[in-house]
């Protein structure tokens, strides 16, 4: 292995891999090295499913093949220092590499609130770490009652999967409703119902004061005075950027400790890019910094960093996070893009909304038809779509991308209303009652 | 029933119903009457499924409820004459109605080529007519060997459904490959393979010379000299606009006998609109008149006509047919939007293409993952996406709408490449290998 590279990527999960392969694809004459602490990187959004459907982390590994096939060198090692002046990085195993361009894709780690008892045995987090998760899976085999703290996507998905294998789950959320980043309360309450159908107990508006136990956890104390007995606690209370390396190299961080970047994903050092969970996110609509971490956003940033490494192009710049979420609870899919109505109002957008309930096949007499609900959030001022929430069957996972594409292109509600949609009896709603279009129509009525 | 209405709609399938309900929604103070020849209108794209999955036309009826609920009067009758000067329509049952605005949504009827024997017993077409189809279904019960002439969507879907209930099917196509309007030959050959897996014999590049039989059909003679014995023949050789009423009223038709309309869907009489299969279609990209008939296009036109009845708005005008198709053959979904590569080249577009084969869940170790293929067609000149073809599982039915939304908004391949896509293990491809994005990336490589 050489110790001089044109491009070095630190981190090799979704963002790192895509930046490396995209970069190599655009600049085939440059030499690339990807350095990663972990032997195996896990498919990030697949992690909740190692607790249920997959049953093991072995089935959830991002293949390294594309890196090797692209002619990118790979090293399993930890970078401990960046010397920006001389453009050298240093590793734990005492290697040194010169770089011309550096991409930081160092990811994130679980955030755990400062609650008494959070260090007891059988108190877990959900890190992107194979060894940790293997050990956790082994321990959970003998633990039946589990409290999950935090009802964001990770908390909800881990709960759903653990219920699926027969665990007794209580999920606790401090906010008024679950999945609050993605859904307004009326849609979130449908998701909560699905969790409850699976036997999961959901406590919202509920704060955990303390975790109790003697060495091992045995219960939790809530602010309302109630005490729950439990065999295990899982913190799903968010993630924080792995930005220590960047900070010690003098790169600027924002208030969430994410590495500040411009719309080409460059840090304040123009030869160092940062992408994915470790990098700052600015919301596409509010233009505020937001602590949203999504592999799909990360890979978009990675494509931008990879293509702009040596030649910037203004049409290849990141315009902000749309935050397109989707998940499946039991048999129902919940998805969202852009702002919720509640978030839009908080941010001073004067909005109108459209809502429609339909069915995802036509005629409805076809087998396996699912109810489909669409809610659209539209800026009154501009008529532009700024958010959408959808509930339905499996096809909602791609339908939300139609909404995402509309938001990214500043499509107005009128343009959506008259837009052409492909329909088919076995695959979609009827052309006469396509919920996305009907919801758009209902925005006019609500005017 | 009144005999003076503000708005009269002639025809009550997908287009008529949507124009009526949209119009009433926008102009609630106006009186609306919908006149339809048929007691029951069939869900147009559901018709192939009455031959198999549905088994009966009864399960494929468009409900009239929305019309009644919207306060729109309904009359089952046939309009025989339009007196444009006095703004009166006359019906078969000798009724007369005055109108202020008229919407023609008279649909289409099967086109049958002038082949000897096309009038024999057990030679069928696939009209949007309940009585005809009920009779045809009854007769087909006792007929086993069936030749379907024409391998467009209707021919392919009817064949697939008849094979599903055990019929012995041969499908004959005069062109080099099946589904030629929607797919390039490489993708069409995958669709053909799926038909063949179901036991359907597919003959392309094959012309039918004559249908033989004494009263009842017993065979067909091909141009290559071969003779096939058969119990029945189904013509799926396209549809022609029902435009006789319009023509006799002096409205202009185009070369396909479709009623000429402007982008507000107005005929050459500004108080008469025409929408759906009876109205002219102009391709969104080539700007040529095309004989493409789709319920989804029809409903978009209907929304435009309905909203523009009394007040035109330039942002509510029809910019041309995108032609978003999707279908399912056996377990595989085939979908397309915009131009094929072959059609683009024929029309003098200098194009580049991108192709990617991936999988529609992640990790691929999850159950029920399907292979997903995306082909993108991009104008070299403008970098804008002008077509897409996708093969995969059921979610392709909505994924093609992401491509459709991109085409309608003149999204460039660069914008698609960096766009944010929502992904989820159980619902979509991985963010690192999302075929739509990877195909976009491969367009760059092919440059």
């Amino acid at each position: 292995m050489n110790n001089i590279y044109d491009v070095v990527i630190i981190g090799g999960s979704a963002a790192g891999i895509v930046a490396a392969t995209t970069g190599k694809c655009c600049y085939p004459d440059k030499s690339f090295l990807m350095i990663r602490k972990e032997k195996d990187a896990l498919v990030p959004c697949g992690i909740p499913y190692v607790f249920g459907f997959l049953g093991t982390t072995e089935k959830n590994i991002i293949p390294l093949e594309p890196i090797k096939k692209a002619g990118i060198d790979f090293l399993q090692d930890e970078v401990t220092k960046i010397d920006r002046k001389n453009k050298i990085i240093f590793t734990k195993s005492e290697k040194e590499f010169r770089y011309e361009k550096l991409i930081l894709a160092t990811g994130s780690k679980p955030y755990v609130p400062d609650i008494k008892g959070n260090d007891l045995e059988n108190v877990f987090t959900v890190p992107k770490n194979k060894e940790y998760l293997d050990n956790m899976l082994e321990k959970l085999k003998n633990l039946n009652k589990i409290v999950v703290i935090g009802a964001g996507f990770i908390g909800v998905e881990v709960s759903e999967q653990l219920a699926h294998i027969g665990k007794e789950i209580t999920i606790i959320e401090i906010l008024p409703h679950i999945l609050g980043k993605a859904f307004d309360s009326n849609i979130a309450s449908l998701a909560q119902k699905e969790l409850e159908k699976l036997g999961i107990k959901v406590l919202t508006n509920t704060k955990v004061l303390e975790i109790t136990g003697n060495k091992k956890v045995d219960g939790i104390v809530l602010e309302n005075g109630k005490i729950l007995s439990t065999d295990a606690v899982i913190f799903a209370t968010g993630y924080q950027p792995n930005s220590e390396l960047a900070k010690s190299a003098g790169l600027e961080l924002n208030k969430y400790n994410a590495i500040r970047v411009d719309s080409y994903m460059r840090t304040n050092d123009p030869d160092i890019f940062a992408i994915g969970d470790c990098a700052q996110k600015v919301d596409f609509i509010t233009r505020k910094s937001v602590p949203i971490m999504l592999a799909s956003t990360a890979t978009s940033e990675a494509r931008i960093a990879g293509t702009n490494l040596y030649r910037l192009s203004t049409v290849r710049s990141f315009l902000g996070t749309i935050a397109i979420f989707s998940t499946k609870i039991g048999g129902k899919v919940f998805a969202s893009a852009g702002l919720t109505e509640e978030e839009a109002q908080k941010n001073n957008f004067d909005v109108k909304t459209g809502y429609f309930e339909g069915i995802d096949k036509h005629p409805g007499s076809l087998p396996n038809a699912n109810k489909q609900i669409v809610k659209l959030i539209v800026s009154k001022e501009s008529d532009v779509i700024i958010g959408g929430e959808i509930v339905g069957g499996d096809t909602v996972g791609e339908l939300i991308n139609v909404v995402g594409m509309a938001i990214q292109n500043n499509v107005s509600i009128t343009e959506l209303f008259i837009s052409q949609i492909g329909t088919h009896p076995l695959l979609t709603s009827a052309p006469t009652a396509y919920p996305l279009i009907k919801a758009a129509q209902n925005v006019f009525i609500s005017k």
Side-chain angles (χ1 to χ4, degrees), chain A:
Chain A
M1 190 174 279
N2 204 335
N3 68 345
I4 302 179
Y5 283 90
D6 296 317
V7 182
V8 175
I9 299 101
I10 305 176
S13 182
I17 288 174
V18 170
T21 52
T22 309
K24 185 70 183 173
C25 164
C26 285
Y27 306 102
D29 298 337
K30 302 290 181 181
S31 58
F32 281 69
L33 168 67
M34 188 173 92
I35 305 181
R36 179 171 80 192
K37 217 166 39 179
E38 304 83 9
K39 179 170 166 285
D40 292 309
L42 297 174
V43 177
C45 24
I47 290 174
Y49 299 95
V50 306
F51 294 97
F53 291 157
L54 294 172
T56 163
T57 58
E58 289 300 327
K59 288 190 180 171
N60 191 49
I61 290 168
I62 304 186
L64 204 55
E65 230 87 317
I67 289 294
K68 291 175 181 169
K69 262 175 67 180
I72 295 164
D73 285 342
F74 174 74
L75 174 69
Q76 187 193 341
D77 202 344
E78 186 177 347
V79 176
T80 50
K81 193 184 152 190
I82 303 169
D83 172 358
R84 285 167 54 200
K85 203 177 152 206
N86 297 301
K87 294 188 149 191
I88 297 173
I89 55 168
F90 300 87
T91 76
K92 204 166 184 175
S93 65
E94 301 193 337
K95 292 194 180 73
E96 296 181 21
F97 298 95
R98 299 195 78 140
Y99 68 84
E100 205 168 63
K101 303 283 178 183
L102 187 65
I103 301 178
L104 303 177
T106 46
S108 59
K109 57 178 174 290
Y111 162 78
V112 177
D114 189 20
I115 291 173
K116 192 180 165 196
N118 68 11
D119 55 350
L120 287 168
E121 202 180 323
N122 297 334
V123 173
F124 302 102
T125 60
V126 188
K128 296 164 197 172
N129 180 308
K130 188 173 183 301
E131 289 68 33
Y132 183 99
L133 291 171
D134 284 341
N135 178 47
M136 178 174 171
L137 281 171
E138 198 51 41
K139 283 192 169 167
L140 285 177
K141 277 184 188 163
N142 306 311
L143 305 170
N144 186 47
K145 279 173 93 167
I146 303 172
V147 169
V148 175
I149 303 178
F153 281 92
I154 296 297
V156 164
E157 288 177 350
V158 168
S159 297
E160 195 256 7
Q161 289 292 298
L162 289 171
H164 179 73
I165 58 163
K167 303 292 183 188
E168 195 182 312
I169 307 291
T170 302
I171 181 164
I172 298 177
E173 171 61 50
I174 197 168
L175 295 172
H177 62 81
I178 69 168
L179 299 171
K181 267 184 196 163
F183 300 106
D184 286 310
S185 56
N186 53 340
I187 304 285
S189 72
L190 299 176
Q192 181 170 334
K193 264 184 209 151
E194 291 304 310
L195 289 173
E196 287 163 350
K197 271 192 210 164
L198 299 168
I200 296 169
K201 208 169 157 187
V202 182
L203 306 175
T204 53
N205 275 316
T206 302
K207 191 175 174 182
V208 175
L209 276 194
E210 185 185 339
I211 300 169
T212 58
N214 179 15
K215 282 192 185 168
K216 286 185 185 178
V217 60
D218 62 18
I220 62 164
V221 182
L222 303 178
E223 198 180 37
N224 60 20
K226 281 192 188 146
I227 293 170
L228 304 180
S229 78
T230 189
D231 302 329
V233 168
I234 299 175
F235 276 102
T237 37
Y239 292 79
Q240 51 190 328
N242 287 325
S243 54
E244 297 78 5
L245 181 68
K247 191 180 178 188
S248 68
L251 298 176
E252 288 172 18
L253 308 186
N254 74 2
K255 66 172 171 176
Y256 298 109
N257 283 324
I259 305 166
R260 275 193 198 283
V261 288
D262 64 16
S263 59
Y264 299 104
M265 307 313 298
R266 294 179 303 180
T267 65
N268 56 308
D269 180 331
D271 289 322
I272 304 183
F273 294 70
I275 55 174
D277 289 2
C278 70
Q280 159 179 283
K281 305 281 166 277
V282 172
D283 188 88
F284 181 79
I285 295 153
T286 66
R287 314 308 301 160
K288 282 197 318 192
S289 280
V290 284
I292 283 175
M293 294 175 184
L294 273 169
S296 54
T297 312
T299 56
S300 173
E301 296 171 348
R303 294 190 292 271
I304 289 166
T307 49
N308 285 305
L309 276 170
Y310 285 91
R311 287 187 298 273
L312 296 189
S313 167
T314 180
V315 295
R316 287 191 313 250
S317 64
F318 195 72
L319 300 175
T321 303
I322 310 281
I324 309 176
F325 291 105
S326 54
T327 192
K328 189 170 182 179
I329 307 173
K332 275 214 175 86
V333 175
F334 294 81
S336 81
L339 296 189
T340 60
E341 184 180 4
E342 292 163 13
E343 195 62 25
Q345 283 163 346
K346 255 189 244 166
N347 280 279
N348 259 346
F349 285 93
D350 196 8
V351 295
K352 47 195 178 183
T353 64
Y355 184 92
F356 190 80
E357 292 192 16
I359 197 159
D360 70 355
K361 293 191 177 51
H362 67 282
S365 52
L366 280 165
N368 306 319
N370 302 283
K371 192 170 159 181
Q372 190 181 88
I373 300 172
V374 174
K375 176 177 180 173
L376 291 172
I377 297 102
V378 177
S379 161
K380 269 192 192 167
E381 171 71 20
S382 63
D383 210 35
V384 162
I385 302 158
I386 60 173
E389 301 168 39
I390 311 183
V391 185
D394 283 4
T395 57
V396 167
E398 296 297 359
L399 182 55
I400 196 66
N401 284 324
V402 179
V403 179
M405 184 59 69
I407 295 176
Q408 281 165 86
N409 288 284
N410 294 309
V411 168
S412 75
I413 194 71
T414 305
E415 287 169 320
L416 178 63
F417 172 64
I418 62 166
S419 71
Q420 294 167 62
I421 292 287
T423 59
H424 186 274
L426 308 177
L427 306 169
T428 71
S429 316
T432 50
Y434 192 79
L436 183 59
I437 302 290
K438 295 294 272 185
Q441 181 170 351
N442 287 340
V443 174
F444 295 118
I445 300 174
S446 74
K447 269 205 268 206

